Amino acid sequence: YNVSLLSKFVEVAELADVWSLASHTVPDSTPMPEAEGDRVIDVLFHSMGRTPCEPESNVVTTFNGVPGVLVKSSACSSPKTSSAAGVVPHAHAQVIAYADVFDQVPEMQAKPLAPYLRFVDTIYDEARSFVDEAFGGEPFIAVHWRRADFKLTRAARDDVLLDSRKLVERIKHAMQERGVRHVYIATDATEEADLELLRRELGYRSYDSIPNPNEPNLVKAMRVANIEIAICALSVYFLGTRTSNFSATIREERAIQGSPAASNDFLI
């Protein structure tokens, strides 16, 4: 994210800058040579859902895609540990971090934050470059077709999952209604038969990242996801998957960029 915008709302720093602001250095005598530079976390809270979630001391791990991080101590988190009262016992620590912890901010509190949660410029530049190359300046419809885990976790619902043939019908209808010739599809579907049907019937485009062997997988996944959000935000119409946080984030990004609410809908 572009922290310079978020900093106008709340004090924030890039992860790399957090360590430079602290006075930590990994001792030369450490028995863990894989620990790098000043990458030290004093207290790391793990989600209670982590298996196993057991306290540890002086371990080297990868944190948010950054390798070689020395964790002096770790503990299991709880709602209390992310509150002010929960942090006070660790006031001596310079760096406190949370892993696998997802505290849901109520919607009414989250909405005012949205304009400040902006991607870095390179994300928007890459999205615009892709759209210009893929669609030549012509309007397009964007679709988020969630599959993967939803095939199990949403199997009992009739307003979420859509098979590939019905998806084609839904998209074609939306394209005809709006006189649009192009479609972009963001999906985690892996069934080749389904994807081939979409290619044959729709000639859709999707984003393919240029491989970078030096980019950690987690960092790449986040970057590509952000670029896809930015691409979908540039469409004239968006069809998302109901109950998907990714689809919800796309709608939020579109709202920030001025797209009317009527330009969003669900696949079902």
Side-chain angles (χ1 to χ4, degrees):
Y1 286 102
N2 185 337
V3 297
S4 64
L5 289 175
L6 188 58
S7 295
K8 296 178 181 179
F9 191 87
V10 63
E11 188 173 352
V12 65
E14 293 277 9
L15 181 58
D17 294 334
V18 169
W19 285 308
S20 66
L21 292 171
S23 59
H24 282 311
T25 56
V26 177
D28 293 335
S29 59
T30 179
M32 294 165 286
E34 65 271 32
E36 298 185 17
D38 57 0
R39 299 175 185 175
V40 178
I41 294 175
D42 294 290
V43 182
L44 176 64
F45 290 109
H46 285 292
S47 168
M48 292 293 287
R50 182 173 179 258
T51 305
C53 184
E54 298 177 354
E56 299 175 303
S57 298
N58 294 321
V59 296
V60 177
T61 187
T62 296
F63 180 75
N64 269 24
V66 179
V69 179
L70 174 63
V71 177
K72 290 187 173 181
S73 67
S74 68
C76 299
S77 68
S78 68
K80 183 179 179 180
T81 56
S82 58
S83 67
V87 172
V88 167
H90 306 283
H92 63 283
Q94 294 190 56
V95 180
I96 298 175
Y98 298 84
D100 308 315
V101 178
F102 302 94
D103 287 338
Q104 295 294 323
V105 178
E107 184 177 359
M108 295 308 295
Q109 294 182 27
K111 279 189 174 180
L113 287 171
Y116 300 92
L117 291 171
R118 314 298 293 134
F119 299 130
V120 293
D121 290 343
T122 54
I123 295 294
Y124 295 109
D125 291 344
E126 177 65 16
R128 172 56 69 183
S129 176
F130 173 86
V131 168
D132 289 345
E133 181 277 327
F135 308 121
E138 295 187 12
F140 68 100
I141 285 177
V143 175
H144 174 226
W145 186 40
R146 177 73 174 271
R147 300 292 284 169
D149 59 316
F150 268 30
K151 289 188 292 183
L152 292 175
T153 60
R154 302 295 191 274
R157 296 189 57 156
D158 59 6
D159 61 345
V160 176
L161 296 175
L162 197 66
D163 66 41
S164 56
R165 293 192 178 279
K166 290 183 178 179
L167 176 68
V168 168
E169 294 175 5
R170 179 73 170 98
I171 294 174
K172 282 186 174 181
H173 178 71
M175 294 172 72
Q176 291 169 358
E177 276 193 328
R178 287 156 186 82
V180 175
R181 300 191 306 120
H182 306 290
V183 60
Y184 177 88
I185 299 180
T187 183
D188 57 2
T190 58
E191 299 87 347
E192 184 55 35
D194 288 337
L195 297 175
E196 176 57 31
L197 175 67
L198 299 183
R199 284 191 289 266
R200 185 173 66 251
E201 295 291 330
L202 301 170
Y204 77 94
R205 296 297 301 268
S206 60
Y207 179 78
D208 294 315
S209 177
I210 298 175
N212 179 357
N214 297 319
E215 185 175 41
N217 289 338
L218 178 60
V219 174
K220 175 185 176 181
M222 290 189 294
R223 179 177 61 82
V224 171
N226 291 345
I227 290 172
E228 289 212 281
I229 290 169
I231 289 172
C232 291
L234 294 171
S235 66
V236 295
Y237 191 64
F238 172 66
L239 291 170
T241 299
R242 202 180 298 272
T243 76
S244 165
N245 287 333
F246 191 75
S247 286
T249 302
I250 291 171
R251 292 196 301 273
E252 290 175 358
E253 180 68 25
R254 290 173 59 78
I256 293 170
Q257 295 194 26
S259 295
S263 69
N264 303 314
D265 203 353
F266 293 110
L267 289 169
I268 303 180

